[in-house]
Amino acid sequence: MTHVQQMVQTNFNQAAVDESTLVECIEACFDCAQSCTACADACLGEGDIQMLARCIRLCLDCTEVCEATGKILSRQTAFDAEMARAALEACARACGICGDECERHADHHEHCGVCAEACRHCESACNNVLTAV
Amino acid sequence: MTHVQQMVQTNFNQAAVDESTLVECIEACFDCAQSCTACADACLGEGDIQMLARCIRLCLDCTEVCEATGKILSRQTAFDAEMARAALEACARACGICGDECERHADHHEHCGVCAEACRHCESACNNVLTAV
Amino acid sequence: MTHVQQMVQTNFNQAAVDESTLVECIEACFDCAQSCTACADACLGEGDIQMLARCIRLCLDCTEVCEATGKILSRQTAFDAEMARAALEACARACGICGDECERHADHHEHCGVCAEACRHCESACNNVLTAV
Amino acid sequence: MTHVQQMVQTNFNQAAVDESTLVECIEACFDCAQSCTACADACLGEGDIQMLARCIRLCLDCTEVCEATGKILSRQTAFDAEMARAALEACARACGICGDECERHADHHEHCGVCAEACRHCESACNNVLTAV
């Protein structure tokens, strides 16, 4: 059992959505924030940075949105569905945009491929919570 | 001239929207992130914390969204209107929700009144950029 | 293999310290940021919030420092040992302070026990990288 | 009177250090976080990105540390001097390292000059609070 799962279960207030759907989304948000931070950095170390400027920029943007969403979903006290939806919708869109860009570079840069995968997973995890909330 | 304004002007890439509208929004996002962080803390120091739990929670949520949006808007290279819109829409909604809650406590807690003002200003600044982008 | 590990390996620039030590620390930072966010929230939902005000406050502080450190360590391009040390030292101290406070409440609040564990693990992972860097 | 100042004054718990010293530091942290975010982006839009990779990287690192410190200092409830010192020391060092790098590019890139100024101011504001705390 991960710490995320334990923290969800030991909260006095019950999760607003199915526990495993929530845990998967929280973990995906933090994972995607890390992958995007690392991908922006890996791109910065490549020879063809100019080609990767958009990828770097979107990865930085996506990091911020994933972090915000992962923390908002980690809170179960005085849960506000509208606040959760605002964050989740932004996050699904950010991951979609960033994932598309990373995918375009996946053939030349393995880190972009890994990051695209993290984005896709987070986008889909956000959409799953959006359906349930 | 503030540093925010100088940074916008010295960027090789032109701002995607009218400069003063952009600068005001970036400043409002960082200002609101600070006010919400401080309001959550001030509420935690009050005698009637139980009554303020929702306010604390929403202030923490609003902080994250404002920070993310302030940083995304601070980037002018490879600007992506769809990414900006995703963040701005989430931010306007977060500030609206948090501002409403803070307003409910403004009569008893001055810090909630100041924070509500910061939220309202940020909400409106985000909507102004949304109209222009 | 986790995404963190894949991102470390696919970066053109080699990690400045032993890969598994680095990966463990990055994962511990993001994990502790999440646990602290969730513990602050779980405390806010308890009946004895007044008793938990210090725990909430330190968990929020620790979250920020862990997030910053996790992202700084995720970067391998133009690695700066002094910057890494500044972040790691702050993070080890923050986790130590927060872990002590959480431990004091672990008997009454299970989430504080889980969070203390995450803090201890992150503190030790930061110290391991500090020794190696 | 800025919102930062109003938030400090309306907090039930008194500031741990002289109010104007604290307010200046909080404002400097948020200001420097914004400048560093914008400078990393402006560098990414320049023709000589390769030369600016270290500057981009350190600006991103400095952003995280300034944000964390600005939020930690914004909290007055259950103030912990040791936690504040951990963050402030990391922040003064991060601003020193980043300011040095930005200064090296100030002749060619105006945004680096503005950012160096924001870093210097934040470094000094952190040192002032460190002396007082």
Side-chain angles (χ1 to χ4, degrees), chain A residues 30-31 33-42 63, chain C residues 3-4 7-9 11 13 15 22-23 25-27 29-30 66-77 79 84, chain D residues 57 61 64:
Chain A
F30 281 89
D31 181 59
Q34 197 280 329
S35 292
C36 284
T37 299
C39 188
D41 175 77
T63 296
Chain C
H3 284 154
V4 175
M7 292 309 294
V8 169
Q9 286 179 0
N11 199 309
N13 291 286
L22 180 65
V23 167
C25 189
I26 295 171
E27 291 182 341
C29 284
F30 280 89
C66 287
E67 271 190 313
T69 307
K71 292 203 272 176
I72 289 169
L73 289 183
S74 297
R75 298 188 183 110
Q76 296 169 230
T77 300
F79 178 80
Chain D
R57 191 247 147 85
D61 290 352
E64 332 280 10

Side-chain angles (χ1 to χ4, degrees), chain C residues 22-72:
Chain C
L22 180 65
V23 167
E24 191 175 358
C25 189
I26 295 171
E27 291 182 341
C29 284
F30 280 89
D31 181 60
C32 191
Q34 196 280 328
S35 291
C36 284
T37 299
C39 187
D41 175 77
C43 288
L44 191 63
E46 297 288 350
D48 56 341
I49 318 186
Q50 313 271 8
M51 294 271 303
L52 295 165
R54 186 167 189 264
C55 192
I56 293 174
R57 190 247 147 84
L58 293 175
C59 278
L60 294 175
D61 290 351
C62 195
T63 297
E64 330 281 11
V65 181
C66 287
E67 271 190 313
T69 307
K71 292 203 272 176
I72 289 169

Side-chain angles (χ1 to χ4, degrees), chain A residues 53-54 57-58 60-62 64-65 67-69 71-73 75-80 82-83 85-87 89-91 93-95 97-98, chain B residues 53-54 57-58 60-62 64-65 67-69 71-73 75-80 82-83 85-87 89-91 93-95 97-98:
Chain A
R54 186 167 191 263
R57 189 248 147 85
L58 294 176
L60 294 175
D61 291 351
C62 195
E64 330 281 10
V65 182
E67 272 189 312
T69 306
K71 293 204 272 176
I72 290 169
L73 289 184
R75 300 188 183 110
Q76 295 170 229
T77 300
F79 177 80
D80 184 283
E82 180 57 14
M83 178 67 88
R85 258 193 294 267
E89 284 170 13
C91 197
R93 287 158 79 184
C95 290
I97 296 166
C98 187
Chain B
R54 186 167 190 264
R57 190 249 146 86
L58 293 176
L60 295 175
D61 291 352
C62 194
E64 332 281 11
V65 181
E67 273 190 311
T69 306
K71 293 204 272 176
I72 290 169
L73 289 184
R75 300 190 183 108
Q76 294 170 230
T77 300
F79 178 79
D80 184 283
E82 180 58 15
M83 179 66 89
R85 259 193 293 268
E89 285 171 12
C91 197
R93 286 158 79 184
C95 290
I97 296 166
C98 187

Side-chain angles (χ1 to χ4, degrees), chain D residues 8 15-27 73 76 129:
Chain D
V8 168
V17 298
D18 166 66
E19 186 192 298
S20 69
T21 309
L22 180 65
V23 167
E24 191 175 358
C25 190
I26 295 172
E27 291 181 344
L73 289 183
Q76 296 170 229
V129 178

Side-chain angles (χ1 to χ4, degrees), chain C residues 54 57-58 60-61 64-65 68 71-72 75-80 82-83 85-86 89-90 93-94 97, chain D residues 54 57-58 60-61 64-65 68 71-72 75-80 82-83 85-86 89-90 93-94 97:
Chain C
R54 186 167 189 264
R57 190 247 147 84
L58 293 175
L60 294 175
D61 290 351
E64 330 281 11
V65 181
K71 292 203 272 176
I72 289 169
R75 298 188 183 110
Q76 296 169 230
T77 300
F79 178 80
D80 184 282
E82 180 59 14
M83 179 67 89
R85 259 193 294 268
E89 285 170 14
R93 287 158 79 185
I97 296 165
Chain D
R54 186 167 189 263
R57 191 247 147 85
L58 292 176
L60 294 176
D61 290 352
E64 332 280 10
V65 181
K71 293 204 272 175
I72 289 170
R75 299 189 182 109
Q76 296 170 229
T77 300
F79 178 80
D80 184 283
E82 180 59 14
M83 179 66 88
R85 260 193 293 268
E89 285 170 14
R93 288 158 78 185
I97 297 166

Side-chain angles (χ1 to χ4, degrees), chain A residues 55-133:
Chain A
C55 191
I56 294 174
R57 189 248 147 85
L58 294 176
C59 277
L60 294 175
D61 291 351
C62 195
T63 296
E64 330 281 10
V65 182
C66 287
E67 272 189 312
T69 306
K71 293 204 272 176
I72 290 169
L73 289 184
S74 296
R75 300 188 183 110
Q76 295 170 229
T77 300
F79 177 80
D80 184 283
E82 180 57 14
M83 178 67 88
R85 258 193 294 267
L88 285 160
E89 284 170 13
C91 197
R93 287 158 79 184
C95 290
I97 296 166
C98 187
D100 284 350
E101 180 64 25
C102 283
E103 229 156 64
R104 295 185 49 228
H105 307 286
D107 285 349
H108 296 90
H109 302 297
E110 214 181 329
H111 47 80
C112 290
V114 180
C115 189
E117 192 182 282
C119 288
R120 292 303 173 215
H121 179 56
C122 190
E123 180 185 12
S124 130
C126 286
N127 283 327
N128 289 342
V129 178
L130 273 170
T131 308
V133 93

Side-chain angles (χ1 to χ4, degrees), chain D residues 4-59:
Chain D
V4 174
Q5 203 176 342
Q6 287 179 275
M7 293 309 295
V8 168
Q9 286 180 2
T10 57
N11 199 308
F12 174 80
N13 291 287
Q14 250 197 295
V17 298
D18 166 66
E19 186 192 298
S20 69
T21 309
L22 180 65
V23 167
E24 191 175 358
C25 190
I26 295 172
E27 291 181 344
C29 284
F30 280 90
D31 181 60
C32 191
Q34 197 279 329
S35 291
C36 284
T37 298
C39 188
D41 175 76
C43 288
L44 192 63
E46 298 288 350
D48 55 340
I49 319 187
Q50 312 272 5
M51 295 272 301
L52 295 165
R54 186 167 189 263
C55 192
I56 294 175
R57 191 247 147 85
L58 292 176
C59 277

